[in-house]
Amino acid sequence: MSDPSRLRWTPPDPTQLPEWRAQLLDHLDDDRTRTTMRAALQAGRFTIVPSVPGIGASDESVASILLTKCERRRLESAELYYATPDMTALALAAAHTPPTEPVTLSRLPSESGLIVFGEPIGGYTEDAGAALANTPFGRPNASAVITTPIVAASWSVWDPGEVNLDRGEVRWFHKGAGSSGLIPADWSGVWITFYSPRGLFSGLPPETVIGTMRDGMVMTAGMIDANREASGPPLGWDNEMLLREGAPFGPPVPDTTDRWAHVLYTAWQLMAQQGKSRWAEVDEIPRARSGAKRDRRQGVTGSSAVRVVRVHSTHRPPPQAAQDDAQASTGRREPQWSCRWPVRPYRRSTCMDPRAHAEGGCRHEDRIVSGHIKGPEGAPLRTGETVHLWDQQPAD
C-alpha cells in the first residue's frame, strides 16, 4: 500500500539552498550525469539542443557536454531565492490569467538565479516505464505511472556564446512544439530550466518494474527508493525552455513548461512590485563562513546568501487558511487557494507614460491588484450569484 506522506514534496529549510546548489554543481561535473543526458537527448527529451558540425563526436555527446557546462555556469552565478508556500500559492493564484505585458528582461530579479518553491508550481503524470522505453534503460512492458511535481527553476539571460568550443562554432536549435529550428545569433531572451525532486518513486509497490539497470538487471521502484539518498542532489533536471524578449504570453497549456513559466514570471512580477501595491517582502539569510569558502572553491560567483520571499504582511493570509489549503493539497501538484484568497488577485495593464498614450507611444506594464471584497469590514463574504429582491410583485 502506498504511503501518502512519502509521496509529498517536502520543501527544504531555506538555509539548505546553498548546500543544494553545491550538490548540483558536483552532480553536473559527474560523467554519469552526461551519460544520463546523452540518453535523454537520444530519446528527444531536450528542447534546446547545441550542435557542432565536424567535431568528430556524436551530436548527443557534444550536446551533453555543452548543456552541463551551461547549467553549471548558470548555477555558479545564480542568486538564491526561496518562495514560501504562501508566496507560491499567491503566484499560482495571480497566474491564473496570463501576463498581459510581453516578456521583459527587467522583470528578472537577477540576471541569473535559482528559486525553490515551498509548494509545487505544477506537475505532470507520466508512465516512467514508457518514458525509458527508447533509451538504454528501457524494458519491454514496464509500466510505472507517477506524478512528478515541479518545485524549482534556474534562469539566466540567454548567452550561449560563453561556452563555444575552440574546435568549432556551436549552433543552437530549438525543438519545441510550433517553433522548431535554428536559434538566430541575435536572439534575446531568458533560458529557464525547471527542476523536480529526486527520489519520489516512494509509495509505489517495491516490485514495480521501471526499466533496466546498466548491467541488464531489472530496475524496480524499490531499488530506486533504496538508493535515493546516494543518487545525487535533491533536485534533478526536468525540462527547459526559452522566453523570447518582447514576445506575448498566450493562454497557458496545462502541465507544460508554458504553464510553469507563467507562474515563474508572475513570481518575478510580484517580487518587483513596489509602493502601495507592494506584494512581497524579502529576508536575507547569510551563508555560514565555512560554506562560503566551499562555494568559492567550486567557482560560485553569485551570492551565497538566500533571499526568502514572503507575502507582505498586509496581504498575508491567516495561518489557519494556509493550513486548510495545505491539507487539501496532494503535495505533488500545485496547491489551491480556496481558503487563502477567496477573491483571486487580478492583473491590471498600467500605462507607464500617460502623456504618450493617445499617440500609442507609451509602454504598458502589469500591476497585480489585490482581490477585494466590497462592503463593511467583518461582513460575511458573498461569493454566489447576485439575487435581486423585489418589495412588490412586478408588473407584467
Side-chain angles (χ1 to χ4, degrees), residues 83 87 91 115 117 262-272 309:
M87 192 68 198
I115 186 168
F117 293 94
H262 284 207
V263 181
L264 178 62
Y265 192 87
T266 301
W268 293 340
Q269 290 178 314
L270 290 165
M271 292 162 66
V309 187

Side-chain angles (χ1 to χ4, degrees), residues 8-10 148-152 195-200 233-236 238:
R8 296 183 65 88
W9 154 243
T10 302
T148 299
I150 300 300
V151 299
Y195 282 88
S196 57
R198 295 171 64 91
L200 277 188
L235 297 175
D238 194 276

Side-chain angles (χ1 to χ4, degrees), residues 2 13 48 86 108 111 198 213 223 237 245 255 266 296 320 322 355 380:
S2 298
D13 186 278
I48 304 168
D86 279 347
L108 274 63
E111 188 167 302
R198 295 171 64 91
M213 303 291 287
M223 294 168 63
W237 169 89
E245 184 180 15
D255 299 349
T266 301
R296 287 193 292 271
Q320 185 58 49
R355 290 176 296 181

Side-chain angles (χ1 to χ4, degrees), residues 232-243:
L235 297 175
W237 169 89
D238 194 276
N239 259 294
E240 80 287 340
M241 72 174 302
L242 297 173
L243 287 180

Side-chain angles (χ1 to χ4, degrees), residues 85-86 88-97 119-121 259 263 317 321-322 324-326 328-329 334-345:
D86 279 347
T88 304
L90 174 60
L92 283 159
H96 186 74
T97 55
E119 295 191 72
I121 61 171
R259 167 64 175 158
V263 181
D324 291 344
D325 276 347
S329 170
E334 59 272 32
Q336 299 303 308
W337 48 86
S338 55
C339 297
R340 275 175 279 197
W341 286 281
V343 182
R344 182 184 289 117

Side-chain angles (χ1 to χ4, degrees), residues 35-341:
T35 300
T36 302
M37 293 185 76
R38 281 199 298 271
L41 285 158
Q42 290 168 352
R45 293 182 64 86
F46 274 80
T47 56
I48 304 168
V49 181
S51 174
V52 183
I55 200 171
S58 70
D59 289 341
E60 291 81 11
S61 295
V62 174
S64 65
I65 293 171
L66 289 172
L67 287 169
T68 51
K69 280 188 175 182
C70 284
E71 188 64 12
R72 198 183 198 290
R73 293 202 179 187
R74 183 182 359 267
L75 293 174
E76 285 173 354
S77 60
E79 303 296 318
L80 302 177
Y81 302 87
Y82 175 80
T84 64
D86 279 347
M87 192 68 198
T88 304
L90 174 60
L92 283 159
H96 186 74
T97 55
T100 60
E101 69 184 32
V103 175
T104 307
L105 296 186
S106 61
R107 286 296 193 183
L108 274 63
S110 57
E111 188 167 302
S112 59
L114 171 67
I115 186 168
V116 175
F117 293 94
E119 295 191 72
I121 61 171
Y124 59 93
T125 300
E126 184 180 36
D127 188 328
L132 292 173
N134 296 321
T135 74
F137 306 104
R139 193 171 192 87
N141 303 318
S143 179
V145 178
I146 59 172
T147 300
T148 299
I150 300 300
V151 299
S154 66
W155 71 84
S156 67
V157 175
W158 173 255
D159 186 13
E162 289 186 5
V163 293
N164 278 346
L165 300 181
D166 295 335
R167 291 175 289 173
E169 180 183 355
V170 179
R171 297 188 299 171
W172 291 85
F173 294 86
H174 187 263
K175 298 191 176 182
S179 59
S180 298
L182 182 68
I183 301 173
D186 60 352
W187 193 93
S188 175
V190 188
W191 186 352
I192 301 170
T193 300
F194 292 103
Y195 282 88
S196 57
R198 295 171 64 91
L200 277 188
F201 279 91
S202 299
L204 289 174
E207 68 277 8
T208 304
V209 176
I210 306 296
T212 303
M213 303 291 287
R214 296 178 190 278
D215 58 6
M217 293 183 62
V218 172
M219 179 197 306
T220 66
M223 294 168 63
I224 293 175
D225 283 344
N227 293 302
R228 63 181 177 173
E229 295 298 331
S231 63
L235 297 175
W237 169 89
D238 194 276
N239 259 294
E240 80 287 340
M241 72 174 302
L242 297 173
L243 287 180
R244 181 170 60 84
E245 184 180 15
F249 287 91
V253 180
D255 299 349
T256 67
T257 55
D258 179 64
R259 167 64 175 158
W260 311 330
H262 284 207
V263 181
L264 178 62
Y265 192 87
T266 301
W268 293 340
Q269 290 178 314
L270 290 165
M271 292 162 66
Q273 201 159 302
Q274 297 296 323
K276 293 181 179 179
S277 58
R278 181 181 176 189
W279 274 104
E281 56 188 30
V282 180
D283 299 324
E284 189 167 295
I285 302 176
R287 173 87 146 134
R289 183 176 298 179
S290 58
K293 289 181 178 179
R294 178 187 177 185
D295 291 344
R296 287 193 292 271
R297 287 196 300 270
Q298 284 190 303
V300 171
T301 57
S303 173
S304 294
V306 179
R307 293 171 174 85
V308 181
V309 187
R310 309 179 191 277
V311 178
H312 193 273
S313 56
T314 56
H315 300 291
R316 197 172 300 156
Q320 185 58 49
Q323 290 172 21
D324 291 344
D325 276 347
Q327 192 123 24
S329 170
T330 65
R332 295 190 68 120
R333 295 303 302 257
E334 59 272 32
Q336 299 303 308
W337 48 86
S338 55
C339 297
R340 275 175 279 197
W341 286 281

